[in-house]
Structure formats: structure tokens, C-alpha cells
Amino acid sequence: MTARELDAAGITEPVLRDAYTRCRRLNARHGRTYFLATRLLPVARRPAVHALYGFARWADDIVDSLDPGVPPHHRAAELALLHERLERGLRDAHARSDRDGDGMGDGVGRGAGGGAGDGDRVEPVVLALADAARRYAIDHRHFSDFMASMRSDLEVTAYPTYDDLRAYTHGSADVIGLQMLPILGTVVPREEAAPHAAALGRAFQLTNFLRDVGEDLDRGRLYLPADLLGAHGVDRELLSWSRRTGRRDRRITEALRAFEDLTRGVYREAAPGLVMLDPVSRPCIRTAFVLYGGILDAVARDGYAVLHRRAVVPRRRRATVAVDGLVRLTAARAAAARAAGAGARWSGPPEPDAEPAAGHGPAAVTAPPHPLHPLHEEVA
């Protein structure tokens, strides 16, 4: 986290600044396209987005660990402890908000790490998330729903129907969009934009499911609905055979194409929500929207060979989208300054971060997460 972002957000307490900084590092390291898109947001809003990403990444890493030395029951216990710390952190943040009155105070109490023992410790990602939730009044139910889907990943390895998958993606993807909405801001009542924000989170995750079907099989999971696969004569055994041997099958190609069509339909559900966002937030989300949609193009262009290799959005395309986002942001900021009146001063195009991560400039755009699900995948 750059000092400029933290100062702009009014985050002054050293423990909180360190917590947000750790979340930013997770974003820069794991969510490269998402990290780039976040840099198109107003400076003061970036720390909260990094906090959402950092927490989701943390939970996702617990669930997706492939370390054979980490037994499933240990991951379940670690996830349960994280959830316990999350609930405590949210309660403490809410109590501070009530005590401070304006909900934007920076005080950090015992829940920030001042407990007597390690069991009382709150992870920095939890501290940052709880503070961001307090500042933007994010509904705590979204975090509970997210953790429920993370727990599901430790127990559920397949989904019979798309409706079954939708129950899972509500917590793992829809709520990510809903968490983001208060930070992004809207020009319509929030409840009007909410269904589109949820659909966008879901579209991103369905895209990841298609691109990462082979890697998910390696983890023992299959997110593509069994009824969709079965309609084309495909089952887990056939997918595993293709993954293991490197051989192709026309039935698999047709099933993957059908899942792509389903996913593009969800993007169409999400698209009307872009213009409902605060104009200065639109370039960020539009950039992610275009880049994630580009994954589907890359999958199709590669002949749906996702069981054998990862589809990659071409570097030139990523760079073009990033530059377009920067141009749109510059125009949005200029328009906002004009609307503020003759006395408003426009500071010009957005400045680069004081401490950019290597390879994250506009000419080297890569892309978001395995959600983190929607917020936790890379396009490239």
C-alpha cells in the first residue's frame, strides 16, 4: 500500500496501515489484472478493495492448498479459525464505529492484536477487511455467505445441476460484487445495481471455472454441472482421462462450448450495471469486464484445450484494454471536475503508484483470481 493511498483514505493508525499494506501485497502478487484494474480507482478507494481481495485470497489459499502434508481436517480447522476471527473483527469494528460516532475513526482496540495469546490474534487481512466493512457499511452477511462457500469447497466436489452450482457461486462470487458496490459507488439506488454487480462476480468465476477445469480436477473438484456435461456425453471419468492422457474428445469440446455460452449469458446480465456505477469507478470495472471476457475468447481460440493448457489473453490485447481504461478514467475525472464548478481544480491524469509492482505498468497488463474466485484469478 502506498502512503498516498492510505493518506487519501484517512488511514493513520500504524497497525491498520500495516494490515492494509499486507493486503495490497497479496493483490499485487496474486491478482495481477485485478491489481491493475484497482489502480484505475480513485486513490482513496483502493485500500478497501485491496482489503477485500486480501481476505478472499487468504481464505482461498487455505481451501486450495495442494500440500499433501496438510490433511483436509487441518484445512477445515484453519478455515473455522479464520471465520471466528472474522466475526470477532467485524464485531470489534462495529463497536468502534458506535463508540466513535462517525464510523470513520481509526482507533484500534484489543481485537487488532492486543489479545493475551495467539488464539486472540486477528490476522492483518481480517483487521483490514473489518475496517473497510465499517468505513463503507458493507453488509456482514456477504462475508458469512462467502465463508459458507469456502467451507463447501472442503466437502463438495461436484455439482449435479446449474442450480446447485448457483447456490455455491452466490457465496463465492455474487457476494464479491455486492461487497464491492458500496466502495465503487452508484448513480442509481444501490438495490437497482446490486443484481448486475452480483452477476458480474458470477460471470468472472464461471470464466475461471472454464479456464481452470483441469487444475480443479487435480484438486479433486469439478465445477461444471453434471447435467450440462451429460447432455454432451461427458462425465468426470472422461474429463480425467483427457487430462491424464492429453488426448482430445469432440464431446468434451462441445460441453465446454456450452459452458462458455452459459457464461456469456451471465456477462450479458451484468453489462447494464456498468453505467450504474460512479463514473470514476467505471474504467476499473470495465477493464476487468473486458479482460475477463477475453479469457473466453482465448479459450475458444485455443480450441477449448483447457484440460491441457491455460488459455492466455494476448499481451497486446491486455495492454490495449489497460490504456483504454486510463483514457476513460482521465475523461471521467475531468468531467467530475467540471461538474464541481469553476472553482474545482483538476489534477490531471492519474498518477502511477509511488511503489508499483514490477511488471504491472499499462504495457504489461496481465489479469485477475482462482478466486479468489472472481477477485482472485489471473487472466494470463
Side-chain angles (χ1 to χ4, degrees):
M1 188 71 58
T2 67
R4 184 167 65 95
E5 292 175 356
L6 294 168
D7 293 344
I11 300 167
T12 59
E13 206 284 329
V15 175
L16 270 178
R17 289 174 73 93
D18 178 69
Y20 276 103
T21 298
R22 294 192 186 199
C23 290
R24 183 182 189 273
R25 289 172 183 160
L26 284 170
N27 192 350
R29 183 164 66 249
H30 297 290
R32 292 179 290 174
T33 291
Y34 184 62
F35 179 74
L36 172 76
T38 300
R39 291 175 63 186
L40 295 175
L41 283 174
V43 178
R45 303 187 199 185
R46 297 178 197 172
V49 177
H50 291 315
L52 293 182
Y53 181 93
F55 179 80
R57 179 78 262 172
W58 193 272
D60 203 56
D61 283 348
I62 293 174
V63 170
D64 282 345
S65 173
L66 290 175
D67 185 347
V70 181
H73 71 273
H74 180 85
R75 286 185 287 162
E78 191 174 356
L79 197 64
L81 179 59
L82 179 64
H83 193 186
E84 177 186 331
R85 290 171 173 170
L86 168 65
E87 291 184 333
R88 183 191 313 152
L90 291 171
R91 286 196 303 269
D92 289 349
H94 182 71
R96 290 198 302 276
S97 179
D98 288 344
R99 184 176 63 246
D100 296 340
D102 61 1
M104 295 295 287
D106 218 14
V108 179
R110 183 170 179 267
D118 186 63
D120 249 1
R121 180 174 60 88
V122 174
E123 300 288 355
V125 293
V126 172
L127 179 60
L129 178 74
D131 185 70
R134 174 175 64 102
R135 290 169 183 268
Y136 287 93
I138 300 173
D139 192 330
H140 292 184
R141 290 177 299 178
H142 299 330
F143 303 115
S144 296
D145 289 347
F146 174 76
M147 293 303 295
S149 283
M150 293 301 96
R151 290 194 299 273
S152 175
D153 264 334
L154 297 178
E155 304 167 357
V156 180
T157 61
Y159 296 87
T161 69
Y162 182 61
D163 285 343
D164 295 316
L165 182 63
R166 281 287 291 111
Y168 168 78
T169 58
H170 168 76
S172 64
D174 293 31
V175 298
I176 300 294
L178 297 174
Q179 290 168 21
M180 286 281 292
L181 206 52
I183 302 170
L184 299 173
T186 61
V187 295
V188 299
R190 191 178 298 170
E191 58 270 21
E192 184 178 341
H196 303 290
L200 186 59
R202 186 164 67 255
F204 287 172
Q205 186 164 54
L206 294 178
T207 300
N208 291 333
F209 289 161
L210 178 60
R211 185 198 59 189
D212 298 338
V213 61
E215 296 172 20
D216 288 331
L217 277 173
D218 293 343
R219 296 185 177 99
R221 300 191 201 118
L222 179 59
Y223 292 103
L224 278 58
D227 60 347
L228 181 149
L229 295 173
H232 299 275
V234 177
D235 56 17
R236 181 190 288 260
E237 184 178 354
L238 182 62
L239 293 173
S240 297
W241 166 84
S242 180
R243 175 72 169 172
R244 183 176 63 254
T245 64
R247 297 177 64 181
R248 306 286 296 276
D249 188 289
R250 178 185 54 79
R251 293 169 294 175
I252 293 176
T253 299
E254 292 303 316
L256 297 176
R257 182 179 288 114
F259 193 78
E260 178 206 357
D261 291 343
L262 183 156
T263 303
R264 290 192 186 276
V266 181
Y267 275 97
R268 289 192 291 272
E269 291 179 40
L274 296 178
V275 296
M276 297 180 182
L277 299 175
D278 183 339
V280 296
S281 296
R282 291 174 197 168
C284 166
I285 302 306
R286 184 184 182 280
T287 295
F289 183 95
V290 173
L291 285 174
Y292 261 110
I295 299 176
L296 296 179
D297 297 333
V299 167
R301 186 170 52 248
D302 198 33
Y304 302 91
V306 290
L307 285 167
H308 313 124
R309 55 182 175 269
R310 170 171 286 210
V312 176
V313 177
R315 175 181 289 269
R316 183 183 297 275
R317 174 60 176 161
R318 298 195 303 264
T320 299
V321 173
V323 171
D324 177 70
L326 189 62
V327 170
R328 289 172 181 269
L329 176 57
T330 300
R333 289 187 176 179
R338 289 195 300 270
R345 296 182 60 191
W346 176 51
S347 59
E351 301 174 17
D353 287 332
E355 302 171 6
H360 292 300
V365 186
T366 50
H370 173 97
L372 214 220
H373 297 309
L375 295 182
H376 317 136
E377 272 306 320
E378 282 180 58
V379 169

